[in-house]
Amino acid sequence: MSPARLLAAALLMLLPAPWARAAEADSIRLSAGLPPTFRRPEVVVYPLLDQRQLVVEAGEGGRIEALPPPEAWSAFLGELRGARNLSVQMPNLTVRAITEDLSYRRALELADSTADRAFRDYRDVRLDAAAEGLEAAVDTYVKLEHHVVAPRVVARAALTRGLALLESGQPVVAERAFRRALTLDPALRLRPGYDLPQAIEALEAARAALVADGPPAPDDFSARVPLAPQYAGGYVLRARALPDRLEVVIRSAGGVSLEVQPYGDDPVDAGSRLASRVRACLPFGRMPRPEGYRSKLFLEAGFDAYAFAENPVGAFPNVGVAVHLSWIAAPHFSLDFHGSISNGERDPQEHLRRDIDSVRLMFGPGYAWSDPRFRLFGQVGVEVATMGAVIITTNPACKYFDPDDQIPDVLCDFDTDIDMTDRVWLVGPALSVGGSVRLVDQIFLAMRLTGATYLVESDDNGFGLPLGGSIALGYRLF
C-alpha cells in the first residue's frame, strides 16, 4: 500500500464514525431537554410471538408448560419505554387499541358467526363446507388482527380446518393448515386420548418440520401485508422469540427493517443492545415546523373628510365616501389600498365659483400591530388623485353676474378677473396612520388620519397638501 493510502487510512481511523457522531448529537439534545412542542415519532409495539414454544414437548394431557417472556424481551421493552424522544405504545395498549376500534368489533361478529357455522359443519361431518368456512374465518381474523388479541382462538380455527382437510383425504393441504395454526399459536397441541391419533401425528409432523426448517415469520412481519391506516405515519415493531435469538421487524410506510440479537450469556444486556440499535433505526424526532403566517384581509367603508393646507382661497371642507382594503401579508407587514370620492364645498368667501370633485387613490406598504381587540397601523405609499375644474374670482361683481349679463368691463372683466383651470392629475407620496377596535365578531370601527403632498402635477391649480381623516366600519374577510 502506498504511503498516501496508509496516511488516509490512519486519518479515517482517528475520525469518529457517522453513527457515533449522530448518537453523540442525540445524547446532547436529550440532556439539554426536549421542548413541549417536540414531535416524537410514534412507535407501536405488538405483543411478542414466542416461537420457542414450538420445541417444547407436550406433557400429560397434551399441554405444554408456558414459558415466561425472554429476559431480553423485557429488557428491550424497558429500554425502549425510557426513550424520551419516542412516543412508544406498549403491547398491552396496542391490543387495547385494536379491540376498541368500532370497525373491529363489527367485523369480528361476522367472523365469529362464520367460524361458528363452520364448526357446526365440522361436527356434522360436512367437511368441505367446514374447511371453506374456517378458511374464510381465519383470513378475516388475521385481517382484523384478532390473532394478536386472541391467538388461541384463531389458531384453533386454523387447526380445525386442517382436521377437516385431513379427514377428507387432503393431507398435503392439511399440513399447510397445521403449520399456519402453529405459526399463529406455537403452544397449540392436540390431546392424546381425545383427538384422533392420525391428527395428533399430522400436527406433530408439521411442528417437527417447522422446528427443523426454522419457523418462518408470519406474513404480517413483512411488507406484503399493508400497515393499518392508523399507523401509516408511524413505526410498527413486530417481534418473535426463537430459542437462540430475538428478532425485531421495524415496519413503516418507507419499508421494512430487521434487527436480530442473539441472547448470549447476558440476555438483559442483549435486549438493551437490541433496543439501542432499534432506536438508531428510528428518527430522533423534530421540532414542529412553524406554521406559515395566516394572512388577513380587512375591508372598510365609511366617510372621508379633508382640507387642502395649500390653497388660493382659504381652507374649505371636502367630504365624501371612502373604502380601504388592508392585506396583512406577514406579521406586522401590510399592503394597503385606499380610495375616496369627495366633493369640495365653496370656500366661505365663495371665491370658488364651482364645487370641486376629487378622486384620491393611495396604495403602498404599511405596518400593523394587533391583539384580539385592537389594531394600530400606519402606511406610506403613493397617492394618485384627480381634481375637477377650478373656477376662482375675487371680484364681487363677477360672483353675481354671468357673461350673458353683458355688464361693463369695469365691473367685471370675465377674461381677466376669473381664473379657470381644467381637470388636473396629481401624484405624490402619502402617509396614513390610525387604529381600529373590534366591536363584535369580525366587525370593527376604524379611524385614520391621512396626508399627502403632490410632486407631479398635470397643471398647477393652486391646491395641494390635503390633510384629513376617515371613519369607517370594517369587516375581516379572512
Side-chain angles (χ1 to χ4, degrees):
M1 183 180 295
S2 65
R5 291 188 176 182
L6 285 173
L7 180 59
L11 290 174
L12 288 175
M13 293 176 64
L14 293 175
L15 293 174
W19 62 266
R21 293 196 297 269
E24 181 181 359
D26 290 348
S27 64
I28 293 174
R29 295 166 71 183
L30 287 173
S31 62
L34 300 175
T37 54
F38 182 79
R39 290 186 178 178
R40 293 167 171 79
E42 298 288 337
V43 181
V44 178
V45 185
Y46 273 70
L48 177 70
L49 176 63
D50 194 349
Q51 292 186 323
R52 299 175 304 161
Q53 299 178 104
L54 282 173
V55 302
V56 179
E57 299 291 340
E60 194 173 331
R63 299 182 180 276
I64 68 171
E65 184 176 351
L67 298 175
E71 291 182 275
W73 174 246
S74 302
F76 172 82
L77 290 180
E79 185 80 15
L80 203 63
R81 186 190 292 113
R84 288 177 292 163
N85 65 303
L86 300 177
S87 176
V88 182
Q89 178 176 288
M90 301 306 285
N92 60 324
L93 296 180
T94 301
V95 172
R96 182 188 300 177
I98 294 172
T99 57
E100 290 180 351
D101 186 80
L102 181 60
S103 60
Y104 162 84
R105 295 198 296 267
R106 290 175 176 173
L108 182 61
E109 295 178 0
L110 297 176
D112 285 340
S113 64
T114 301
D116 291 341
R117 183 169 60 251
F119 280 125
R120 289 196 300 269
D121 289 336
Y122 178 71
R123 288 193 296 270
D124 295 339
V125 200
R126 292 192 290 270
L127 301 178
D128 291 340
E132 183 179 350
L134 288 169
E135 182 180 22
V138 171
D139 289 342
T140 304
Y141 282 142
V142 171
K143 288 179 181 178
L144 296 176
E145 296 190 318
H146 190 55
H147 63 296
V148 176
V149 178
R152 179 56 55 90
V153 172
V154 184
R156 279 289 177 187
L159 174 65
T160 306
R161 175 175 177 265
L163 296 175
L165 292 168
L166 185 66
E167 294 174 22
S168 64
Q170 304 179 63
V172 175
V173 185
E175 183 184 7
R176 289 201 293 266
F178 290 145
R179 289 194 180 202
R180 187 179 193 187
L182 289 168
T183 302
L184 294 167
D185 182 6
L188 187 66
R189 303 290 187 273
L190 290 175
R191 294 167 292 177
Y194 182 83
D195 295 301
L196 295 174
Q198 63 267 33
I200 297 175
E201 181 180 351
L203 182 62
E204 285 299 307
R207 183 176 70 87
L210 288 176
V211 172
D213 299 339
D219 288 340
D220 48 12
F221 276 50
S222 70
R224 290 193 300 270
V225 179
L227 286 172
Q230 62 269 29
Y231 302 142
Y235 298 84
V236 173
L237 269 56
R238 306 295 294 261
R240 63 171 180 159
L242 296 167
D244 61 338
R245 66 188 185 276
L246 192 64
E247 294 184 358
V248 174
V249 172
I250 307 169
R251 297 187 58 201
S252 69
V256 176
S257 176
L258 172 66
E259 293 292 331
V260 180
Q261 179 62 53
Y263 299 127
D265 297 331
D266 189 347
V268 174
D269 180 65
S272 178
R273 284 186 282 119
L274 178 61
S276 298
R277 291 208 310 275
V278 169
R279 288 177 60 184
C281 294
L282 299 171
F284 182 82
R286 60 185 175 87
M287 290 289 294
R289 292 181 180 177
E291 294 185 2
Y293 180 78
R294 288 190 62 185
S295 61
K296 305 171 185 177
L297 183 63
F298 298 91
L299 175 64
E300 305 167 19
F303 300 98
D304 198 40
Y306 62 92
F308 290 100
E310 296 178 354
N311 64 82
V313 295
F316 62 94
N318 292 262
V319 181
V321 294
V323 295
H324 189 96
L325 199 64
S326 183
W327 178 40
I328 313 298
H332 307 304
F333 176 78
S334 67
L335 293 174
D336 293 81
F337 170 84
H338 185 88
S340 67
I341 300 176
S342 59
N343 186 68
E345 298 181 357
R346 299 185 188 184
D347 60 295
Q349 292 80 21
E350 294 193 6
H351 295 330
L352 284 172
R353 304 311 302 148
R354 180 188 297 178
D355 294 346
I356 302 176
D357 63 277
S358 300
V359 178
R360 300 172 62 193
L361 303 175
M362 190 271 283
F363 53 90
Y367 174 87
W369 171 90
S370 65
D371 67 9
R373 186 168 179 82
F374 298 99
R375 187 164 58 96
L376 299 176
F377 42 77
Q379 296 89 36
V380 176
V382 175
E383 178 168 302
V384 178
T386 180
M387 294 179 60
V390 176
I391 302 176
I392 300 175
T393 182
T394 57
N395 186 334
C398 293
K399 298 177 183 180
Y400 297 103
F401 296 98
D402 294 325
D404 295 337
D405 294 334
Q406 299 181 353
I407 61 174
D409 291 342
V410 295
L411 294 178
C412 175
D413 187 345
F414 290 99
D415 294 329
T416 59
D417 294 338
I418 293 180
D419 295 328
M420 181 174 179
T421 306
D422 292 331
R423 177 175 294 277
V424 296
W425 290 88
L426 313 163
V427 179
L431 173 68
S432 174
V433 295
S436 69
V437 57
R438 185 173 65 86
L439 301 177
V440 60
D441 295 332
Q442 305 299 326
I443 300 175
F444 59 90
L445 177 67
M447 292 167 285
R448 65 182 70 242
L449 300 175
T450 60
T453 182
Y454 300 125
L455 303 180
V456 178
E457 301 176 343
S458 62
D459 195 0
D460 184 9
N461 63 2
F463 291 91
L465 198 61
L467 301 175
S470 64
I471 183 169
L473 281 177
Y475 185 82
R476 177 180 170 181
L477 299 177
F478 59 78

